[in-house]
Amino acid sequence: MNRLRRSIRSHKAVAAAAGVMVLASLVLGAFLFQPWRLFTSSSLDEALPVATASRVTTPGVTTPGQASPDSTAPRSGPTLVDGPLVVRTGMFQSQEHPTTGTAQVLKLPDGSHVLRLEDLASSDGPDVKVWLSSLEAGGDWYKYRSGRYVDLGAVKATHGNQNYAIPAGTDLTDLASVVLWCDRFSVAFGSAPLA
């Protein structure tokens, strides 16, 4: 009888230890894979980067009824707005997940650069980053780790229009694509060539 009780206790201990291990594995798997993200999405609609306004000056111009000013003094005229200039652009193509939209590298009037994603539609995932890559878009997604890339930070939303500042001094000449990169699993959700 004692032997039977010891055997039952032993089996209960093994079952409890196995249960704890299964539960720990489920918690770790949920933390790593975040499966609920298959059913979540987010949206953001950022405006184009702010344009700067500059006054056009016209020397020696008077309005009717005004006394004639010094002809060398500048006068205010209409305001001109300098907007961002599209330097490079491309359409997203799907890789590991369906991804659509447009990527644009914009040059702002102050000389800085911004990456703008327009009409982006992709999947949610853990640790998804926006990269500028020296490798061409498409093809095998595991290749992007072997090329030069500039990490612009976490993707702000799975859908919409978004702006990402490109660090000052970044050499854009050999950067060939924009990649939505899942850093945790080293996969590209989608990529866009920059032409």
Side-chain angles (χ1 to χ4, degrees), residues 35-169:
W36 57 87
R37 290 193 177 230
L38 293 171
F39 309 103
T40 62
S41 67
S42 55
S43 188
L44 177 66
D45 188 18
E46 288 185 315
L48 274 168
V50 177
T52 58
S54 59
R55 287 263 185 218
V56 174
T57 57
T58 311
V61 175
T62 59
T63 55
Q66 265 190 332
S68 180
D70 178 3
S71 62
T72 60
R75 295 284 174 237
S76 295
T79 301
L80 297 180
V81 177
D82 299 323
L85 174 68
V86 177
V87 178
R88 298 166 81 185
T89 188
M91 300 292 291
F92 272 99
Q93 54 190 280
S94 299
Q95 289 197 257
E96 186 65 20
H97 293 272
T99 302
T100 59
T102 305
Q104 298 177 330
V105 174
L106 304 175
K107 184 174 183 180
L108 303 182
D110 65 3
S112 65
H113 289 87
V114 168
L115 174 69
R116 180 160 174 84
L117 306 182
E118 289 194 334
D119 300 319
L120 177 68
S122 189
S123 299
D124 199 0
D127 205 18
V128 179
K129 305 284 181 77
V130 179
W131 281 7
L132 293 173
S133 173
S134 64
L135 301 174
E136 64 184 42
D140 297 323
W141 44 257
Y142 54 82
K143 68 182 177 185
Y144 294 111
R145 278 267 190 224
S146 63
R148 182 173 88 85
Y149 63 89
V150 178
D151 186 340
L152 300 182
V155 70
K156 296 176 181 178
T158 59
H159 293 76
N161 303 311
Q162 306 161 29
N163 302 315
Y164 297 86
I166 298 174

